[in-house]
Amino acid sequence: MNPNRHLMTLDEFTFFQTKQFKNSTGELSTLLRDIGLACKLINKQVNKAGLTEILGAHGAVNVQGEEQMKLDVFANEVMISVLRNSADCAGIASEENDDIVVFEDDHSLNSKYVVMFDPLDGSSNIDVNASIGTIFCIYKRISELGKPCNIDDFLQKGRNIMASGYVIYGSSTMLVYASRLGVNGFTLEQSIGEFCLSHKDMRCPVDGKIYSINQGNTCKLNDKLKSYLDFCMADDKATRRPYSHRYIGSMVADLHRTLIKGGIFMYPEDRSNPKGKLRLLYECNPMSHIIEMAGGKGTSGTENILDMKPSELHQRVPIFIGSKNMVEQAVAMIYQ
Ligand code: AHG
């Protein structure tokens, strides 16, 4: 039997990338492998979400007498515990935690990286079996090695992201990973429990014909935003309009489609969310980094997302993200 060497695992791929840099220590690859492990554990639970409910809902006990955990709480605890055990993480910030979590053991104090994540984005979709995801990004800390990391390590501009990614728990489970060398997708091969390279050098089409927004909120939008939506729905064959409308309500799923097929995803400011709804640090920054590394664009309408200096951990920001030409056109029509 011949070994199937058409498969390249996430580990092999990141190690191969590491070898291209003379001074690279491989720490980032190790961290990515650890995040991959956490996501495989989350995937296992997500896949049996319906069964878990049969065995006992949140607050109930299962047949072993263990308390059942809500999936987003479970995902958060898995991410934290795996990264705490990681050789290369000094601390984390999670959408589920009010404050940063600093790892103070001797090894972590000397770790170079901090990680930010949304452990289970789109979790309201769990009940209807729609795709959900984990989003993450990795920064090099700016605080002194040997000391505990601090809030300034986490309030860096998205421009400083070293690597980012998401895992989509969908019809298959896939990890999309962006580094300065580009964006690559790895599908979980369940039989060997490994993420394997399946989407090499992913590029976001510069143009598209899909717009993605919670259109039910139109009554809460300002006139310019409403006019842009009218533009998306207008009949004009020359510019491929009307665009198709797609909205899953799970940013990972909506942006995974946008990355592959092109289009624009928006969560703008509205009457109920004057600063937008989505979080700069856990959702908008990592997703903008991925989309930008793939040739697309992410903006708040007035500023490139990656150039914004965060002022607080759970800051919200309006976002327009996806195919470069579509995003630029939307911004020109709404904000200029
Ligand atoms: P949650 O994780 O609480 O389900 O939020 C999901 C986020 C994001 O993934 C999605 O794009 C957006 O919220 C959907 O918000 P609306 O329901 O307001 O459209």
Side-chain angles (χ1 to χ4, degrees):
M1 198 187 289
N2 287 327
N4 180 358
R5 290 318 292 155
H6 297 305
L7 281 183
M8 182 179 253
T9 67
L10 177 63
D11 250 6
E12 288 177 310
F13 181 84
T14 50
F15 184 58
F16 172 75
Q17 281 199 331
T18 302
K19 284 201 286 193
Q20 299 187 33
F21 296 101
K22 243 207 218 138
N23 300 324
S24 179
T25 58
E27 287 163 89
L28 201 56
S29 314
T30 313
L31 200 44
L32 191 68
R33 188 193 58 207
D34 295 335
I35 293 171
L37 167 65
C39 292
K40 283 188 259 183
L41 294 167
I42 296 168
N43 179 59
K44 205 170 142 224
Q45 289 303 317
V46 168
N47 278 343
K48 58 180 188 189
L51 284 173
T52 314
E53 267 180 34
I54 294 167
L55 297 174
H58 180 49
V61 285
N62 67 12
V63 284
Q64 282 90 33
E66 296 159 341
E67 196 174 335
Q68 293 294 302
M69 233 180 248
K70 269 178 69 180
L71 264 177
D72 40 8
V73 178
F74 171 83
N76 194 42
E77 296 202 353
V78 167
M79 286 291 283
I80 295 176
S81 89
V82 168
L83 289 169
R84 191 187 289 282
N85 288 341
S86 167
D88 297 301
C89 184
I92 63 98
S94 162
E95 202 199 58
E96 294 283 335
N97 290 69
D98 290 341
D99 215 340
I100 61 171
V101 179
V102 178
F103 303 146
E104 299 216 32
D105 58 282
D106 287 347
H107 201 94
S108 300
L109 289 177
N110 285 295
S111 297
K112 279 197 298 206
Y113 297 107
V114 295
V115 181
M116 260 174 273
F117 55 83
D118 180 351
L120 211 55
D121 183 68
S123 51
S124 54
N125 277 312
I126 294 170
D127 293 346
V128 294
N129 247 342
S131 299
I132 49 180
T134 299
I135 311 173
F136 63 89
C137 60
I138 302 170
Y139 288 83
K140 198 174 261 183
R141 61 190 283 196
I142 49 179
S143 56
E144 201 181 320
L145 286 183
K147 299 208 166 138
C149 63
N150 64 47
I151 186 77
D152 295 335
D153 296 317
F154 296 87
L155 295 181
Q156 298 187 55
K157 288 183 181 178
R159 209 41 88 196
N160 294 352
I161 289 175
M162 301 293 296
S164 61
Y166 61 79
V167 172
I168 180 165
Y169 310 103
S171 41
S172 59
T173 298
M174 196 173 155
L175 185 149
V176 172
Y177 163 63
S179 71
R180 58 187 150 155
L181 293 180
V183 182
N184 291 279
F186 302 80
T187 301
L188 183 60
E189 164 53 275
Q190 305 275 3
S191 64
I192 56 169
E194 293 279 359
F195 285 107
C196 296
L197 183 62
S198 54
H199 295 60
K200 205 167 184 310
D201 194 19
M202 298 173 84
R203 304 295 298 164
C204 180
V206 284
D207 257 315
K209 47 181 184 175
I210 298 175
Y211 74 109
S212 186
I213 184 171
N214 184 340
Q215 195 137 354
N217 288 337
T218 305
C219 59
K220 302 179 190 169
L221 300 179
N222 67 37
D223 288 345
K224 287 203 154 184
L225 280 158
K226 282 182 187 160
S227 306
Y228 177 68
L229 295 189
D230 287 340
F231 167 84
C232 292
M233 292 183 283
D235 195 5
D236 179 24
K237 275 204 181 70
T239 52
R240 302 201 294 173
R241 284 178 293 143
Y243 299 145
S244 294
H245 177 251
R246 299 279 181 273
Y247 189 70
I248 298 167
S250 163
M251 191 192 198
V252 174
D254 280 314
L255 277 180
H256 187 60
R257 180 198 57 245
T258 305
L259 174 60
I260 291 174
K261 292 195 167 176
I264 181 168
F265 170 88
M266 299 163 266
Y267 209 113
E269 66 276 23
D270 64 31
R271 213 170 46 230
S272 311
N273 307 286
K275 292 183 175 167
K277 176 187 172 188
L278 302 180
R279 315 279 180 151
L280 174 60
L281 297 186
Y282 315 106
E283 292 163 324
C284 300
N285 263 341
M287 285 304 194
S288 297
H289 181 254
I290 297 163
I291 291 287
E292 204 167 289
M293 288 297 135
K297 191 165 181 171
T299 167
S300 69
T302 52
E303 199 175 357
N304 187 309
I305 295 281
L306 297 178
D307 292 325
M308 299 180 84
K309 172 75 181 100
S311 53
E312 51 174 310
L313 277 180
H314 295 282
Q315 187 171 342
R316 294 174 196 271
V317 69
I319 186 163
F320 300 80
I321 182 169
S323 295
K324 192 165 179 286
N325 289 349
M326 284 183 93
V327 170
E328 283 173 357
Q329 182 174 42
V331 169
M333 290 180 67
I334 302 164
Y335 295 96
Q336 283 163 15

